[in-house]
Amino acid sequence: MSMTLDELPAVAECSVAGCSYNDHSHCHAAAVTIGGTVGDAECATFIPLGKKGGLDKVITHVGACQRAECVHNESLECTAASVRIGAGSTDDADCLTYDPR
């Protein structure tokens, strides 16, 4: 699988208001990494500093996904059309598109 940055799934929405990259439900990081453990796809890019960061415009994509057991994961790359980030059951920021095989 070979993809360009524009072909990687976009972060369509982020409802984690406490993240430094969030601005009005839009992620302003260049790319996010999905980490966590089996059954919990945590947004590893989440930074709760109270200082805004990121790019001026919204172009955020999923740069890497460590959840190999997700149905959208192929060779550690996300194949979903887009992802949503929001509060999970145990974390402030989870990939809500995560779907274990």
Side-chain angles (χ1 to χ4, degrees):
M1 181 166 98
S2 178
M3 298 168 89
T4 66
L5 180 60
D6 289 337
E7 295 169 317
L8 293 174
V11 176
E13 173 191 10
C14 179
S15 60
V16 184
C19 182
S20 295
Y21 290 113
N22 188 315
D23 187 11
H24 298 90
S25 295
H26 297 290
C27 183
H28 285 257
V32 299
T33 296
I34 305 301
T37 58
V38 174
D40 180 29
E42 180 181 10
C43 179
T45 309
F46 171 69
I47 299 176
L49 294 180
K51 176 179 168 76
K52 290 297 178 188
L55 306 170
D56 291 337
K57 59 184 178 177
V58 179
I59 60 166
T60 308
H61 293 86
V62 178
C65 180
Q66 300 171 3
R67 304 296 1 117
E69 75 283 354
C70 180
V71 298
H72 302 293
N73 192 308
E74 185 177 318
S75 300
L76 300 179
E77 299 292 335
C78 183
T79 62
S82 64
V83 300
R84 293 175 36 254
I85 306 295
S89 58
T90 59
D91 299 307
D92 291 326
D94 278 355
C95 177
L96 303 178
T97 309
Y98 171 76
D99 187 11
R101 296 178 208 268

